[in-house]
Amino acid sequence: MKKLTVMAASAVFAISLSGCKLDELQSNSLASDALGDAVTAMTITEVEVIDSARLSATEMDKKVKVAPANSKYQQRLSKLVKKHQSIQGITFNYKVYENKDLNAFAMPDGTVRVYSGLMDKMNDQELLSVIGHEIGHVILKHSFNQYKSTLLTSAARKGLSASGGKIGEYARSEAGELAEEFVGAHFSQEDELAADTFGVKFMKQNGYNANAMVSAFQKLQRYSGEGGGFFSSHPSTSERIAQIKAQL
């Protein structure tokens, strides 16, 4: 998820360029604070978050082209993840989106989606390292926290009252919209690095070539202009490669 940081000097510079009035700036700040307070006040159970994520994945699958079971993409992915259907009590489900972007994502219910564009660029070991990274986001609850934040912020923005029942109802009714917001968001630097670390351990523990994660990142550096997604985030790819090499 992108973090918004406002420096005092930058704010003064922005005001001088745009001609914003102080009362307008204060009004925006108060609105932001009010939204933050509303999100903090809201409550929702873990089950409701997971159920909403599952519905969001279903809605997302309806809106994109999912590779059929007999396609070369799905058959390849199914073979690679055959022994990774259940991890630490979470049941995972894997599908391929026929999309040229170099991307993959995972949702807190165990949904993992891999884009065909990424599969076209990666060999099997590299692809497994990306899958391990995405599994890490789920196991480490990054995906859960991200989805919950997306859900509560969206509900607060719509003026929903701080009631668990109403939030749960909203989550079910807006599953499609929430899916798009979730996939479009980015994890924090700390979450990305932690998922990379999980990915390396995943590769080692399963007898895969852990060095493939390095080559996967190097390929993404090379093809960075061909689509965002998985690697269009902080920290930089170079920093992530350096951390992975240190673990290896």
Side-chain angles (χ1 to χ4, degrees):
M1 176 184 289
K2 295 179 180 177
K3 292 183 175 180
L4 302 181
T5 305
V6 181
M7 301 295 290
S10 299
V12 172
F13 182 62
I15 293 170
S16 67
L17 287 179
S18 64
C20 291
K21 296 179 181 179
L22 182 58
D23 58 346
E24 292 176 342
L25 184 62
Q26 290 174 331
S27 176
N28 290 335
S29 177
L30 289 172
S32 178
D33 289 343
L35 178 61
D37 291 341
V39 171
T40 301
M42 288 184 178
T43 59
I44 186 170
T45 67
E46 183 170 352
V47 171
E48 286 176 320
V49 173
I50 298 298
D51 286 346
S52 176
R54 187 176 295 110
L55 287 173
S56 287
T58 300
E59 290 302 312
M60 182 70 74
D61 289 349
K62 293 177 182 178
K63 295 180 179 180
V64 302
K65 186 176 182 181
V66 178
N70 62 352
S71 72
K72 66 175 184 178
Y73 289 114
Q74 187 59 48
Q75 288 184 344
R76 179 187 174 197
L77 181 61
S78 296
K79 182 179 179 180
L80 289 175
V81 301
K82 186 176 181 179
K83 67 176 186 178
H84 306 301
Q85 300 299 306
S86 180
I87 303 173
Q88 296 186 25
I90 298 175
T91 300
F92 286 82
N93 68 92
Y94 307 86
K95 292 182 181 179
V96 178
Y97 283 175
E98 293 190 7
N99 185 302
K100 67 179 181 179
D101 287 348
L102 310 182
N103 199 12
F105 68 87
M107 303 187 80
D109 67 310
T111 288
V112 177
R113 299 294 180 259
V114 182
Y115 289 40
S116 59
L118 187 69
M119 297 183 72
D120 288 337
K121 301 298 184 186
M122 302 285 170
N123 62 40
D124 285 354
Q125 293 294 304
E126 291 165 343
L127 195 57
L128 279 165
S129 75
V130 172
I131 292 169
H133 171 99
E134 293 301 331
I135 289 173
H137 278 313
V138 178
I139 297 297
L140 299 173
K141 302 208 76 170
H142 302 158
S143 295
F144 175 86
N145 293 330
Q146 179 84 296
Y147 190 90
K148 181 178 180 181
S149 176
T150 299
L151 168 58
L152 295 183
T153 301
S154 178
R157 200 164 51 234
K158 298 289 179 65
L160 207 62
S161 63
S163 167
K166 291 184 179 180
I167 297 297
E169 184 179 337
Y170 173 80
R172 291 187 291 274
S173 66
E174 300 296 327
E177 178 183 319
L178 292 169
E180 294 180 6
E181 289 188 30
F182 173 83
V183 174
H186 293 304
F187 291 109
S188 69
Q189 173 173 315
E190 292 77 13
D191 284 356
E192 292 291 9
L193 291 175
D196 289 344
T197 296
F198 185 97
V200 172
K201 292 179 180 178
F202 170 87
M203 297 295 283
K204 289 181 176 180
Q205 290 171 354
N206 288 286
Y208 301 138
N209 177 14
N211 288 288
M213 182 167 275
V214 174
S215 59
F217 274 92
Q218 290 172 336
K219 281 187 177 180
L220 267 296
Q221 279 187 315
R222 193 183 319 153
Y223 300 119
S224 60
E226 296 188 21
F230 183 74
F231 295 90
S232 59
S233 60
H234 296 293
S236 68
T237 305
S238 297
E239 183 179 345
R240 294 170 75 174
I241 289 175
Q243 175 186 266
I244 293 166
K245 285 184 175 180
Q247 294 176 59
L248 296 174

